[in-house]
C-alpha cells in the first residue's frame, strides 16, 4: 500500500546543489517518520537525514550537517532533500524510507523504501 518514489538525482560538480524528491502515497502520516539514506556499492546503507512527517525531530548525520536540509510538502505528500555544497564523497544511491514512530537512524528500522536515485558528484 505504501509507495515511495525518489527522483532528482543526477551528475553534478563539487560545490553544486541538488534537490531530491520522494513522492509518497498510501501512508497514514499521523505517526510517520521519513528519512533519507544513501549507499555506496560494497558499503552499508547509512542514515543521512530524517524527520517526523509533522516536521518535528529533524536530524542529520555529521557528514551532511549544515549542508543538507530535509523538508516536506504536506499538500503534495512529498519529501525533499536539499543538498548544498555537494562533495565527491556524497556520491551514492539515495533512498527515501518510511516507518511508524520516531526518525531513527538504523536502516533496519524502516519498513518501506523507494527504488533509489543516483547522485554523482565530480571533482
Amino acid at each position: 500500500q505504501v509507495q515511495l518514489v525518489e527522483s532528482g538525482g543526477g551528475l553534478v560538480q563539487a560545490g553544486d546543489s541538488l534537490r531530491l524528491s520522494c513522492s509518497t502515497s498510501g501512508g497514514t502520516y499521523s505517526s510517520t517518520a521519513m528519512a533519507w539514506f544513501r549507499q555506496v556499492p560494497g558499503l552499508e546503507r547509512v542514515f543521512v537525514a530524517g524527520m517526523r512527517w509533522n516536521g518535528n525531530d529533524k536530524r542529520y548525520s555529521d557528514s551532511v550537517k549544515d549542508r543538507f536540509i530535509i523538508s516536506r510538502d504536506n499538500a503534495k505528500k512529498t519529501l525533499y532533500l536539499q543538498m548544498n555544497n555537494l562533495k565527491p564523497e556524497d556520491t551514492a544511491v539515495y533512498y527515501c524510507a518510511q516507518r511508524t514512530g520516531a526518525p531513527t537512524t538504523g536502516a533496519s528500522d524502516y519498513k518501506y523504501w523507494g527504488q533509489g536515485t543516483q547522485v554523482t558528484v565530480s571533482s
Side-chain angles (χ1 to χ4, degrees), residues 6-19:
E6 302 97 333
S7 62
L11 174 62
V12 298
Q13 295 181 326
D16 286 351
S17 296
L18 201 61
R19 188 177 75 164

Side-chain angles (χ1 to χ4, degrees), residues 40-107:
V40 176
L43 300 179
E44 297 296 319
R45 190 170 299 184
V46 298
F47 177 84
V48 176
M51 60 178 281
R52 293 183 185 270
W53 185 257
N54 64 16
N56 293 335
D57 295 335
K58 288 185 177 180
R59 56 193 66 179
Y60 301 89
S61 67
D62 289 341
S63 62
V64 307
K65 183 181 178 182
D66 300 323
R67 296 190 298 120
F68 291 9
I69 302 171
I70 188 170
S71 65
R72 62 94 176 89
D73 185 319
N74 188 53
K76 296 181 179 179
K77 297 295 187 287
T78 300
L79 181 75
Y80 300 101
L81 184 67
Q82 178 66 45
M83 305 184 293
N84 299 315
N85 191 25
L86 283 160
K87 303 176 179 180
E89 52 262 44
D90 295 318
T91 295
V93 176
Y94 284 72
Y95 299 88
C96 65
Q98 181 176 307
R99 72 182 301 270
T100 298
T104 56
T105 60

Side-chain angles (χ1 to χ4, degrees), residues 2-4 22 24-37 47 49-54 56-57 59 70 79 95-114:
V2 173
Q3 186 172 352
L4 309 174
C22 175
T24 74
S25 62
T28 59
Y29 300 102
S30 60
S31 299
T32 294
M34 303 293 300
W36 290 96
F37 289 79
F47 177 84
M51 60 178 281
R52 293 183 185 270
W53 185 257
N54 64 16
N56 293 335
D57 295 335
R59 56 193 66 179
I70 188 170
L79 181 75
Y95 299 88
C96 65
Q98 181 176 307
R99 72 182 301 270
T100 298
T104 56
T105 60
S108 62
D109 296 338
Y110 290 78
K111 183 176 182 179
Y112 302 103
W113 294 86

